[in-house]
Amino acid sequence: DLSAAASLPTKEAKGQFVFDALRSTAERTQKDLRQYLDDQGVTYTPFYIANKIYVASGDLNTVLSIAARPDVSKITANQQFQLQPPEEMQPAADNALAIEPNLTFVHADDVWALGYDGEGTVLAGNDTGLAWNHPAIINHYRGWDGVTANHNYNWWDATGTYPMVPADGYGHGTHTAGTMVGDDGGSNQIGMAPGAKTIHCKNMTDGGSGDDASFTTCFQWDLAPWDLSGNNPNPAMAPDAVTNSWGYWGGNNPVFEDEIAALQAAGIAVEVSAGNEGTGCASLRSPGDYLQVITTGSVQHTGGVLPGTITGFSSRGPSDLYPNDYFPDVMAPGEAIRSSVPGGIYEAWSGTSMAGPHVTGLIGLMWSASPALRGDIAETYDAIYDTAIRLVGQGGSNCGGNYVDGPNNDWGFGTIDSLAAVEEAILRGGPNFTITAAPAARNICAPSNAQYAIDLAQILGYNYPVNLSLTGNPPGTAVNFTPPAVLPPGNSTLTVGNTGSAPAGNYEMTITGTGTDPEAKTHSTMVALNLYNSAPGTPTLIYPIGVDQPLVPAFQWNAASQGAMYLLVVKNLSSGALQYAVTQDTSYTFGAPLDPLTIYAWSVRTYNPCGAGSFAQFGFFRTQDIPPILVVDDDDNAPDVRSTYTAVLDGLGLGYDVWDTANSDNEPDAAYLQQYEVVIWFTGDEFGGSAGP
């Protein structure tokens, strides 16, 4: 029973309660069955987001013995899913229009003009993956701080394809993420909520297929993301909203209702695309017909004036799960939507998958503007419904419902109006405050103090003092707010002192403001404190060492104790030329190739606020000669055509190197290609993909 979560004051509190309740229930009720499966040597995965166990091995006797148990209510197959591909996918690399017309159509730019761009919210995708370093994505990916990447709690691959680093061999997840948050800082403004952060759970393979287990895994990760080892789930790292652009091929099926109901109880909004199987009635698939989700259909936005025209491919209700309700809920632009795809490029795709992220991004805008509404799913959805622009005169009464005021089974309540929805969210949230802190991180050497500037902004005339507190600070430190209570709009200074008594380490601290109003509104923000108490140690060099090293080597070294920054020095022993780089990472690759057949010496020195460490013992290597030919195998083995090229080169007695992209975005960049006189780059039958860096 998760109903008690509704009365909790913050989204964080809701999420922690739901996580604890579900996990304790699963541990208690699954205990005996898990022990039985262990005794039988059966491979299985237990879940708590829904009270299920995925059994991956066994035979008929296993099934029958489980079926006979009184603690098992149902056994189902691990159903397979296939992503319905977009209706159309077209290159769109050279027609950047600054703010894309689909965004101005729904008035997202008018919301930005009010000062709300989604900042402070996290929007997730459950999709085919994420090209996290795409220029329009990288600065909006929560796992990137501008210098280094940390994919823990920000990426999970339920298919096992890319377990450690986000990637997207299909492109669908990258395209939807771009429509949620994308912006390259220049002319490619493609995302609804460019101030929001994004994270991703890959629930479908690069071929667009998934199953019950992979989808349930991602829903569970949404509730409480875990690290890359699959451990330490943390509901405080949960997203605010999740976009889903897939459907159950078997039609209407409640298989994921428990999972989505749990996410809703935890204050996490779940958006689902309606599907591309219109125009017939009852063409919409699950989970688009669940009552807990907000389902999005597609409109054509040509002409630039709301509400647009419903697209022919957009799926319609009713659903036999809930025949008295209406689906989809709302509409958004879904035709020729220009967004990001792997390879750093842009393409225009069409489908309700392209419409859905507009709504997820809208939720980010609403909760950024009205923090009091954050985690209140019902109130948020109602605000979107009430402000949607009705498509009067479209759809007739063919599929059922109210075709004047909505809802109905063709266009629901109408097309989203971002400005109206955000203004409604602010009104519904009532007087409130926001809290921000700067800088996001401090690096200090003990016993120095760390200081942060705190700003409290006022919404709708909020006039109650806000008490400030801090958690997560290093043990033994002293915390002081000056002043400790602020009447918004106002400021305070946080000082973390007595750092000499604390162990060195990296600390994530939470600044919380608790209002003295009758509802005791609470908002928080996070800052980092990287504490050092001695000069750093000496790193150990790993690579490159020895002869025949590539002309663009990836220099690597072991981390030094208490290392914050690393200075890499590389010397050409023939010319005496030096190259330098400063990085927070333990690896670095220069953009230009080194000289061929040349001996180099290199070393690394570590720095932190307490001082500098010693240079590592020098490493030496000799570069290879310029290889004449590079063969880039980008066929994804669909089919494998490498031998078509290498057999000819072998027959001619020509030397060559091979780079296999291995069905991923791991492609050679321009600097690497400069090593070669000739590049042969080939693809096979790669549906919807592209070749070249």
Side-chain angles (χ1 to χ4, degrees), residues 16 38 133 208 211 255 272 274 348 356 379 411 437 443 457 490 505 544 548 569 579:
Q16 187 68 55
D38 288 336
N133 55 359
D211 55 35
V255 62
V272 178
E379 197 75 16
W411 43 263
N443 299 324
D548 292 328
V569 182
Q579 289 180 272

Side-chain angles (χ1 to χ4, degrees), residues 315-328:
S315 293
R316 276 79 159 170
S319 162
D320 56 12
L321 280 183
Y322 300 103
N324 296 321
D325 285 277
Y326 300 99
F327 311 96

